Amino acid sequence: MDAMKKRGNKRQVTGTVVSDKMDKTVVVQVERMVKYPLYHKYIKRRSRFSSHDEGNACQVGDKVLITESRPISRTKKWRVSKILKKVV
C-alpha cells in the first residue's frame, strides 16, 4: 500500500491575519457559523491559530489559506499556504 493514501487529507481553513509581530509567525483568526440548538439561529464562533509564515510575507488584515502540518513549535501546528487577498 502507498503510505500517502493512508494519511488522508490535511485540514485547510481560510482566515484573517490579526497579528504579525513575531518572526516567521502570524496569528490567523478563523470565523465559522454554528447553529444554536434551541433557537435555530446562526451565531459566529472564532478560533485563533498560530501559523508558520516563512519569509514574513503576511501583514495584518490579509486573507490567508492555512494548512494543518506537523508541530513546528509549542503553539504552531499550521502553515500559511497561500495569501488570498493582500491588504492595501
PDB file of all heavy atoms in Angstrom, residues 9 12-13 32 37 39 43 46 70 72 76 78-79 87:
ATOM      1  N   ASN A   9      -6.296  13.590   4.027  1.00  0.00           N
ATOM      2  CA  ASN A   9      -6.128  14.990   3.647  1.00  0.00           C
ATOM      3  C   ASN A   9      -5.871  15.836   4.880  1.00  0.00           C
ATOM      4  O   ASN A   9      -6.420  15.588   5.950  1.00  0.00           O
ATOM      5  CB  ASN A   9      -7.376  15.498   2.936  1.00  0.00           C
ATOM      6  CG  ASN A   9      -7.604  14.776   1.626  1.00  0.00           C
ATOM      7  OD1 ASN A   9      -6.660  14.320   1.003  1.00  0.00           O
ATOM      8  ND2 ASN A   9      -8.844  14.662   1.228  1.00  0.00           N
ATOM      9  N   GLN A  12      -7.656  22.385   5.788  1.00  0.00           N
ATOM     10  CA  GLN A  12      -7.348  23.719   5.276  1.00  0.00           C
ATOM     11  C   GLN A  12      -8.491  24.647   5.660  1.00  0.00           C
ATOM     12  O   GLN A  12      -9.660  24.300   5.484  1.00  0.00           O
ATOM     13  CB  GLN A  12      -7.194  23.709   3.757  1.00  0.00           C
ATOM     14  CG  GLN A  12      -5.925  23.073   3.281  1.00  0.00           C
ATOM     15  CD  GLN A  12      -5.698  23.308   1.807  1.00  0.00           C
ATOM     16  OE1 GLN A  12      -6.642  23.347   1.026  1.00  0.00           O
ATOM     17  NE2 GLN A  12      -4.452  23.451   1.430  1.00  0.00           N
ATOM     18  N   VAL A  13      -8.142  25.824   6.193  1.00  0.00           N
ATOM     19  CA  VAL A  13      -9.145  26.815   6.552  1.00  0.00           C
ATOM     20  C   VAL A  13      -8.685  28.193   6.084  1.00  0.00           C
ATOM     21  O   VAL A  13      -7.497  28.433   5.889  1.00  0.00           O
ATOM     22  CB  VAL A  13      -9.430  26.841   8.079  1.00  0.00           C
ATOM     23  CG1 VAL A  13     -10.140  25.585   8.521  1.00  0.00           C
ATOM     24  CG2 VAL A  13      -8.175  27.044   8.872  1.00  0.00           C
ATOM     25  N   ARG A  32     -16.431  30.896  11.964  1.00  0.00           N
ATOM     26  CA  ARG A  32     -17.349  29.906  11.425  1.00  0.00           C
ATOM     27  C   ARG A  32     -18.728  30.165  12.014  1.00  0.00           C
ATOM     28  O   ARG A  32     -18.853  30.745  13.088  1.00  0.00           O
ATOM     29  CB  ARG A  32     -16.883  28.487  11.735  1.00  0.00           C
ATOM     30  CG  ARG A  32     -16.713  28.190  13.186  1.00  0.00           C
ATOM     31  CD  ARG A  32     -15.962  26.888  13.426  1.00  0.00           C
ATOM     32  NE  ARG A  32     -15.692  26.727  14.841  1.00  0.00           N
ATOM     33  CZ  ARG A  32     -16.492  26.130  15.707  1.00  0.00           C
ATOM     34  NH1 ARG A  32     -17.648  25.617  15.296  1.00  0.00           N
ATOM     35  NH2 ARG A  32     -16.169  26.032  16.984  1.00  0.00           N
ATOM     36  N   PRO A  37     -28.719  25.408  19.065  1.00  0.00           N
ATOM     37  CA  PRO A  37     -29.692  24.320  19.021  1.00  0.00           C
ATOM     38  C   PRO A  37     -31.116  24.685  19.439  1.00  0.00           C
ATOM     39  O   PRO A  37     -32.075  24.181  18.864  1.00  0.00           O
ATOM     40  CB  PRO A  37     -29.117  23.272  19.979  1.00  0.00           C
ATOM     41  CG  PRO A  37     -27.925  23.838  20.597  1.00  0.00           C
ATOM     42  CD  PRO A  37     -27.620  25.152  19.977  1.00  0.00           C
ATOM     43  N   TYR A  39     -32.723  27.867  19.551  1.00  0.00           N
ATOM     44  CA  TYR A  39     -33.428  28.890  18.764  1.00  0.00           C
ATOM     45  C   TYR A  39     -33.204  28.761  17.270  1.00  0.00           C
ATOM     46  O   TYR A  39     -33.760  29.540  16.496  1.00  0.00           O
ATOM     47  CB  TYR A  39     -33.009  30.283  19.243  1.00  0.00           C
ATOM     48  CG  TYR A  39     -33.335  30.508  20.703  1.00  0.00           C
ATOM     49  CD1 TYR A  39     -32.323  30.691  21.630  1.00  0.00           C
ATOM     50  CD2 TYR A  39     -34.649  30.511  21.143  1.00  0.00           C
ATOM     51  CE1 TYR A  39     -32.620  30.877  22.975  1.00  0.00           C
ATOM     52  CE2 TYR A  39     -34.956  30.695  22.485  1.00  0.00           C
ATOM     53  CZ  TYR A  39     -33.936  30.880  23.390  1.00  0.00           C
ATOM     54  OH  TYR A  39     -34.228  31.055  24.723  1.00  0.00           O
ATOM     55  N   ILE A  43     -24.873  31.651  14.906  1.00  0.00           N
ATOM     56  CA  ILE A  43     -24.015  32.577  15.631  1.00  0.00           C
ATOM     57  C   ILE A  43     -22.576  32.364  15.184  1.00  0.00           C
ATOM     58  O   ILE A  43     -22.220  31.290  14.704  1.00  0.00           O
ATOM     59  CB  ILE A  43     -24.140  32.392  17.161  1.00  0.00           C
ATOM     60  CG1 ILE A  43     -23.888  30.943  17.562  1.00  0.00           C
ATOM     61  CG2 ILE A  43     -25.496  32.856  17.652  1.00  0.00           C
ATOM     62  CD1 ILE A  43     -23.871  30.704  19.044  1.00  0.00           C
ATOM     63  N   ARG A  46     -15.237  32.087  16.788  1.00  0.00           N
ATOM     64  CA  ARG A  46     -13.906  32.443  16.302  1.00  0.00           C
ATOM     65  C   ARG A  46     -12.860  31.538  16.925  1.00  0.00           C
ATOM     66  O   ARG A  46     -12.956  31.180  18.095  1.00  0.00           O
ATOM     67  CB  ARG A  46     -13.589  33.890  16.650  1.00  0.00           C
ATOM     68  CG  ARG A  46     -14.417  34.887  15.897  1.00  0.00           C
ATOM     69  CD  ARG A  46     -13.902  36.276  16.108  1.00  0.00           C
ATOM     70  NE  ARG A  46     -14.252  36.784  17.440  1.00  0.00           N
ATOM     71  CZ  ARG A  46     -15.261  37.588  17.681  1.00  0.00           C
ATOM     72  NH1 ARG A  46     -16.041  37.975  16.713  1.00  0.00           N
ATOM     73  NH2 ARG A  46     -15.488  38.018  18.906  1.00  0.00           N
ATOM     74  N   ARG A  70       2.723  19.234  10.684  1.00  0.00           N
ATOM     75  CA  ARG A  70       3.339  18.669  11.885  1.00  0.00           C
ATOM     76  C   ARG A  70       3.666  19.815  12.840  1.00  0.00           C
ATOM     77  O   ARG A  70       3.805  20.965  12.412  1.00  0.00           O
ATOM     78  CB  ARG A  70       4.603  17.899  11.523  1.00  0.00           C
ATOM     79  CG  ARG A  70       5.699  18.776  10.942  1.00  0.00           C
ATOM     80  CD  ARG A  70       6.950  17.964  10.668  1.00  0.00           C
ATOM     81  NE  ARG A  70       7.985  18.786  10.079  1.00  0.00           N
ATOM     82  CZ  ARG A  70       8.778  19.602  10.747  1.00  0.00           C
ATOM     83  NH1 ARG A  70       8.654  19.731  12.047  1.00  0.00           N
ATOM     84  NH2 ARG A  70       9.692  20.305  10.121  1.00  0.00           N
ATOM     85  N   ILE A  72       5.494  22.599  14.604  1.00  0.00           N
ATOM     86  CA  ILE A  72       6.710  23.357  14.309  1.00  0.00           C
ATOM     87  C   ILE A  72       7.282  23.904  15.613  1.00  0.00           C
ATOM     88  O   ILE A  72       8.489  23.979  15.783  1.00  0.00           O
ATOM     89  CB  ILE A  72       6.390  24.482  13.305  1.00  0.00           C
ATOM     90  CG1 ILE A  72       5.863  23.858  12.016  1.00  0.00           C
ATOM     91  CG2 ILE A  72       7.595  25.344  13.030  1.00  0.00           C
ATOM     92  CD1 ILE A  72       5.091  24.780  11.152  1.00  0.00           C
ATOM     93  N   LYS A  76       2.650  26.354  17.263  1.00  0.00           N
ATOM     94  CA  LYS A  76       2.455  26.369  15.810  1.00  0.00           C
ATOM     95  C   LYS A  76       2.265  24.959  15.266  1.00  0.00           C
ATOM     96  O   LYS A  76       3.166  24.140  15.311  1.00  0.00           O
ATOM     97  CB  LYS A  76       3.647  27.008  15.094  1.00  0.00           C
ATOM     98  CG  LYS A  76       3.703  28.494  15.222  1.00  0.00           C
ATOM     99  CD  LYS A  76       4.571  29.122  14.163  1.00  0.00           C
ATOM    100  CE  LYS A  76       6.029  28.853  14.380  1.00  0.00           C
ATOM    101  NZ  LYS A  76       6.857  29.590  13.410  1.00  0.00           N
ATOM    102  N   TRP A  78       0.194  24.926  12.215  1.00  0.00           N
ATOM    103  CA  TRP A  78      -0.379  25.320  10.930  1.00  0.00           C
ATOM    104  C   TRP A  78       0.677  26.063  10.123  1.00  0.00           C
ATOM    105  O   TRP A  78       1.577  26.681  10.690  1.00  0.00           O
ATOM    106  CB  TRP A  78      -1.596  26.226  11.132  1.00  0.00           C
ATOM    107  CG  TRP A  78      -2.736  25.564  11.823  1.00  0.00           C
ATOM    108  CD1 TRP A  78      -2.878  25.368  13.159  1.00  0.00           C
ATOM    109  CD2 TRP A  78      -3.880  24.981  11.214  1.00  0.00           C
ATOM    110  NE1 TRP A  78      -4.052  24.714  13.421  1.00  0.00           N
ATOM    111  CE2 TRP A  78      -4.692  24.465  12.250  1.00  0.00           C
ATOM    112  CE3 TRP A  78      -4.313  24.873   9.890  1.00  0.00           C
ATOM    113  CZ2 TRP A  78      -5.899  23.837  11.997  1.00  0.00           C
ATOM    114  CZ3 TRP A  78      -5.525  24.247   9.646  1.00  0.00           C
ATOM    115  CH2 TRP A  78      -6.303  23.735  10.683  1.00  0.00           C
ATOM    116  N   ARG A  79       0.539  26.039   8.799  1.00  0.00           N
ATOM    117  CA  ARG A  79       1.413  26.782   7.883  1.00  0.00           C
ATOM    118  C   ARG A  79       0.553  27.643   6.966  1.00  0.00           C
ATOM    119  O   ARG A  79      -0.531  27.225   6.565  1.00  0.00           O
ATOM    120  CB  ARG A  79       2.218  25.843   6.985  1.00  0.00           C
ATOM    121  CG  ARG A  79       3.267  25.047   7.657  1.00  0.00           C
ATOM    122  CD  ARG A  79       3.969  24.155   6.644  1.00  0.00           C
ATOM    123  NE  ARG A  79       4.821  23.189   7.300  1.00  0.00           N
ATOM    124  CZ  ARG A  79       6.102  23.411   7.602  1.00  0.00           C
ATOM    125  NH1 ARG A  79       6.647  24.570   7.304  1.00  0.00           N
ATOM    126  NH2 ARG A  79       6.788  22.489   8.200  1.00  0.00           N
ATOM    127  N   VAL A  87      -3.832  43.182   1.999  1.00  0.00           N
ATOM    128  CA  VAL A  87      -4.437  44.430   2.457  1.00  0.00           C
ATOM    129  C   VAL A  87      -3.708  45.583   1.738  1.00  0.00           C
ATOM    130  O   VAL A  87      -2.523  45.489   1.430  1.00  0.00           O
ATOM    131  CB  VAL A  87      -4.350  44.547   3.998  1.00  0.00           C
ATOM    132  CG1 VAL A  87      -2.940  44.776   4.464  1.00  0.00           C
ATOM    133  CG2 VAL A  87      -5.255  45.614   4.518  1.00  0.00           C
TER     134      VAL A  87
END
